[in-house]
């Protein structure tokens, strides 16, 4: 198994992770591992994969305390993907 270190994690994100871990009754490391596993294995297939990831990031960022969710870049990307898909049909 691989090891991953995350540097420069904002304090509010670490706090949110600690809260999530406590609610789940697991260590913070286990909670991060669970989040990454869910994010990487529950992805939509094909062309929707990246837009699905971005939508999940957007949704999760709204739940983090003290984090201002900047939706414009994600919304612009998703709108462009939808336009591209509409052209394919």
């Amino acid at each position: 198994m691989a090891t991953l270190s995350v540097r420069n994690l904002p304090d509010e994100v670490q706090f949110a992770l600690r809260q999530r871990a406590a609610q789940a009754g697991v260590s913070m490391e286990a909670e991060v591992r669970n989040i990454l596993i869910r994010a990487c294995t529950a992805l939509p297939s094909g062309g929707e994969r990246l837009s699905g990831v971005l939508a999940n990031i957007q949704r999760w960022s709204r739940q983090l305390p003290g984090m201002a969710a900047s939706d414009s870049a994600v919304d612009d990307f998703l709108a462009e993907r939808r336009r591209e898909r509409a052209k394919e049909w």
Side-chain angles (χ1 to χ4, degrees):
M1 297 231 165
T3 300
L4 173 69
S5 295
V6 179
R7 291 180 176 80
N8 301 320
L9 191 65
D11 291 338
E12 55 270 14
V13 174
Q14 181 183 5
F15 179 76
L17 286 169
R18 189 180 315 264
Q19 285 184 320
R20 286 178 60 136
Q23 289 173 351
V26 298
S27 68
M28 211 164 74
E29 180 182 351
E31 182 63 17
V32 170
R33 185 172 28 258
N34 290 335
I35 291 168
L36 289 171
I37 289 169
R38 282 193 310 270
C40 294
T41 59
L43 296 175
S45 61
E48 291 301 310
R49 184 174 178 168
L50 182 56
S51 61
V53 170
L54 291 174
N56 283 337
I57 290 170
Q58 184 180 38
R59 195 169 34 256
W60 293 333
S61 68
R62 289 182 186 132
Q63 297 172 7
L64 295 175
M67 296 294 284
S70 174
D71 296 342
S72 62
V74 174
D75 288 337
D76 292 346
F77 175 83
L78 293 174
E80 179 62 28
R81 275 301 286 150
R82 288 185 193 109
R83 284 191 294 274
E84 288 174 9
R85 289 195 75 213
K87 290 179 189 176
E88 293 172 3
W89 295 100

